[in-house]
Amino acid sequence: MYPPQPPHDPYAAGAYAYQPGPPVPTGMPGTAIAVRVLKFIGGVCGVLFGVLFWLLAVMATGEGQFSRDFLDGMGDAGLPLSGGQAGAYFGIMGAIPFIYGVLSIVLASLMGRRSAGVMWSVVVFQGLAALLLVLAVVMGGFASIIPLIFTIGMIVLMVVPNTRAYYENKPAGPGYPAAPGHPGAY
């Protein structure tokens, strides 16, 4: 709901001229909080999956009976690799979710700062993640549909007017003037 506006005087349309648009939120809107929480959860999951893949890489490159059984099981599943090849495969496969997780946690941490750069960084990051997930779905990884839905949802939540107003306009207060378009702007 918009705050009450002073009467419109066409000759004095200066400091209090009404300009339509969403009000500038003073606290982080629920849409941004939801994205931030999802990014923290997704980031932690990405880091954990990356570490899990790296543990598999270590198991595949070992010399013990467990490593031989592990490689035999991979061969039976249609992925016959040597120990070094399996280690490189799982190492690379672990780097992808690990890097995603670290970047997601960093961006979620930065979301407390009010700047358009932070907002658009989150949108671009999630857009790139969505493209990779679409590619995974096209290549037969139908389990990627669920993270794709969450990724698209985060993009939508970041570009709704309330979230954009929070990141693109700073409220009037000590230290900085009112944002352009804000009812208190000069």
Side-chain angles (χ1 to χ4, degrees), residues 160-173:
V160 295
N162 197 26
T163 307
R164 286 184 66 178
Y166 175 76
Y167 283 104
E168 292 177 347
N169 301 319
K170 293 187 178 187

Side-chain angles (χ1 to χ4, degrees), residues 2-144:
Y2 295 104
Q5 301 296 320
H8 180 66
D9 181 3
Y11 299 107
Y16 296 103
Y18 174 72
Q19 296 182 8
V24 178
T26 54
M28 186 181 284
T31 52
I33 293 171
V35 171
R36 192 175 192 188
V37 168
L38 287 172
K39 288 193 73 52
F40 273 123
I41 292 170
V44 169
C45 289
V47 168
L48 291 175
F49 275 120
V51 169
L52 177 67
F53 275 111
W54 289 339
L55 288 174
L56 290 174
V58 169
M59 287 192 291
T61 57
E63 296 294 326
Q65 181 64 35
F66 181 81
S67 296
R68 286 190 295 273
D69 290 342
F70 182 75
L71 291 173
D72 289 341
M74 285 180 52
D76 292 342
L79 196 59
L81 299 173
S82 69
Q85 291 170 332
Y89 173 77
F90 285 115
I92 292 169
M93 293 302 292
I96 295 168
F98 186 83
I99 291 169
Y100 170 86
V102 169
L103 291 175
S104 185
I105 290 171
V106 167
L107 283 173
S109 299
L110 293 174
M111 283 180 71
R113 299 181 183 180
R114 293 181 73 167
S115 79
V118 169
M119 182 197 73
W120 289 112
S121 295
V122 171
V123 171
V124 168
F125 177 75
Q126 292 305 128
L128 292 173
L131 287 175
L132 288 174
L133 289 167
V134 165
L135 180 66
V137 169
V138 168
M139 294 180 72
F142 295 108
S144 297

